[in-house]
Amino acid sequence: MTKAWLLLAAALAGAAPAGAETLGEAVRKTIAGNPTLAAAQARQDALAETPEQARSLGRLTAEADAGAGYDRFDYGRGGVGSASATLPIWTGGRVASALRATSADVAAGGESVRGTLATVLFDVVAAYADLLLQQQALAIAEAQIKLLDDQVAESNARFTLGTGTLTDVARLTAQRDAAKSTRASAEAAREAAAARYRAVVGNDAGVLAAPSSDLQHLPNTRDEARGAASAQNPLVRQAVAARDAAAARIDVARANSAPSVDLTGTYGYGVGNRSGLDGGYNRAAAIGLSLRVPLLTGGLVASQVRQARASARAAAFDVEAAGRDATRAADTAWANLAAARARVTADTSAVTAAEKALAGIKAEYGYGLRTTLDIVIADQSLRGAQLSLAASRSDLMVYEASLLAAVGALDQSAFAEGGHVAASARALVSAAQP
């Protein structure tokens, strides 16, 4: 029995072979090749050009024009060319306010990229934790079958020697067949989890390495989590930047009614020629100031200002709503994480107790003090405790990622090489020692 039990312990340990993919590697691969992240960054690169476009409104511009023609009736040919330049001297605040608005837009876009990154990384953790759980569940089922095979063989031997009954053999055979059914379900669940992992990370997982430590940068208290969520959550920071952009656009709208002054210069050159006559050459140059003063806009500017103010009020409310949502997310994640930690502690104790109970029942069975049914029940109890512990460890990973996302700290730096589910494997190995 000891050999079979050690096989179960080895399977539950989840000892990954050399080259098994770790959570940190999965994160790096996702960041390098995830199309959702790449699209978000490309959109941010496009948005980052808008401040430069706003600055161009206050810079020197120049253009050249040329033309040529032919007069059919007078057999005349002619051409003209000119160059002009304009330098804004006073824009009525248009450039400065547009620059503030677009810079705030870029900041909001950057927070949107952070939010997208957090969402994608959360998906990586969830997919990793689910696949690791299904791999562990399959290992538990396979180890249980190995253990029951030995028990069936021993029961048959006892029946042959006259110390056992056919009922004992039938019960253990039924338990083994039930374990095979469980293994089939576990294989299907593992394949589904592997497909989800492949969609998120971009490659087949193979055997996953059990993480060995918690995610980094977790807050230590609920109040710390709330404060970080209010200040660092990407959605909150994005809403703040959007509010700043909306406030700047009030000035943009007002500037539409302000006067503007430009320095302008033009140089032109023309030539004309008619058949039988000498051609003429004309040159012209001019420099001056151009003043533009909007007098009547039909109420357009006033309406634009009112519209911008309403948008700014809405943006301010969005900041408050985002803050409340972030605090709620932090509170929920904190509560879930605390519960997951408690379940891990309880399930670890349950595995230890179930293993000791099974070992004791097996010893008593050897002296005729227990029946085969007692062993079957104890086996089932231990397997349930092991599955519960594996599920609790999976939940713990997900809730850690959820809390980090709520407080704005779910990025690549949160992932140490490993992660923490290997603690579950170590606990199972320790519990399985005879």
Side-chain angles (χ1 to χ4, degrees), residues 340-427:
R341 286 170 173 168
R343 288 197 300 270
V344 167
T345 300
D347 289 340
T348 300
S349 298
V351 168
T352 301
E355 187 277 333
K356 291 179 179 179
L358 179 58
I361 289 173
K362 286 180 179 179
E364 293 170 0
Y365 178 76
Y367 292 101
L369 301 176
R370 294 284 184 174
T371 67
T372 303
L373 181 60
D374 294 327
I375 294 180
V376 170
I377 293 174
D379 280 344
Q380 185 67 34
S381 177
L382 177 59
R383 184 173 63 170
Q386 290 166 340
L387 285 172
S388 180
L389 178 56
S392 296
R393 285 287 178 177
S394 176
D395 290 343
L396 184 60
M397 290 179 65
V398 173
Y399 291 140
E400 285 179 352
S402 179
L403 181 57
L404 287 175
V407 302
L410 187 57
D411 55 27
Q412 190 171 1
S413 66
F415 298 89
E417 198 58 47
H420 70 245
V421 177
S424 170
R426 290 196 300 272

Side-chain angles (χ1 to χ4, degrees), residues 63 136 375:
E63 61 181 18
Q136 290 178 331
I375 294 180

Side-chain angles (χ1 to χ4, degrees), residues 197-410:
Y197 183 93
R198 183 166 52 250
V200 174
V201 179
N203 65 273
D204 291 320
V207 178
L208 298 182
S212 59
S213 63
D214 293 346
L215 300 183
Q216 305 299 306
H217 314 312
L218 287 167
N220 297 314
T221 65
R222 184 191 296 269
D223 289 340
E224 182 181 338
R226 287 176 173 175
S230 298
Q232 300 298 328
N233 183 281
L235 295 179
V236 174
R237 292 171 64 92
Q238 182 180 0
V240 170
R243 180 195 61 191
D244 295 341
R249 286 192 167 86
I250 297 175
D251 293 335
V252 172
R254 285 174 178 160
N256 290 332
S257 64
S260 60
V261 179
D262 298 331
L263 177 63
T264 62
T266 303
Y267 177 80
Y269 191 90
V271 59
N273 180 42
R274 289 192 302 170
S275 179
L277 300 174
D278 293 334
Y281 299 88
N282 300 302
R283 288 180 296 177
I287 188 170
L289 294 175
S290 173
L291 173 64
R292 176 182 175 274
V293 181
L295 297 178
L296 294 175
T297 63
L300 174 62
V301 173
S303 176
Q304 289 173 336
V305 171
R306 291 194 300 271
Q307 183 183 46
R309 285 174 174 168
S311 297
R313 290 197 304 273
F317 288 127
D318 287 341
V319 172
E320 182 178 355
R324 292 183 181 184
D325 287 343
T327 301
R328 175 193 55 78
D331 286 344
T332 301
W334 181 268
N336 288 336
L337 180 57
R341 286 170 173 168
R343 288 197 300 270
V344 167
T345 300
D347 289 340
T348 300
S349 298
V351 168
T352 301
E355 187 277 333
K356 291 179 179 179
L358 179 58
I361 289 173
K362 286 180 179 179
E364 293 170 0
Y365 178 76
Y367 292 101
L369 301 176
R370 294 284 184 174
T371 67
T372 303
L373 181 60
D374 294 327
I375 294 180
V376 170
I377 293 174
D379 280 344
Q380 185 67 34
S381 177
L382 177 59
R383 184 173 63 170
Q386 290 166 340
L387 285 172
S388 180
L389 178 56
S392 296
R393 285 287 178 177
S394 176
D395 290 343
L396 184 60
M397 290 179 65
V398 173
Y399 291 140
E400 285 179 352
S402 179
L403 181 57
L404 287 175
V407 302
L410 187 57

Side-chain angles (χ1 to χ4, degrees), residues 140-150 176 179-180 183:
I140 290 172
E142 290 177 342
Q144 185 72 3
I145 291 173
K146 290 185 177 70
L147 182 61
L148 288 171
D149 282 341
D150 283 350
R176 182 183 60 186
K180 290 180 178 179
R183 179 179 63 185

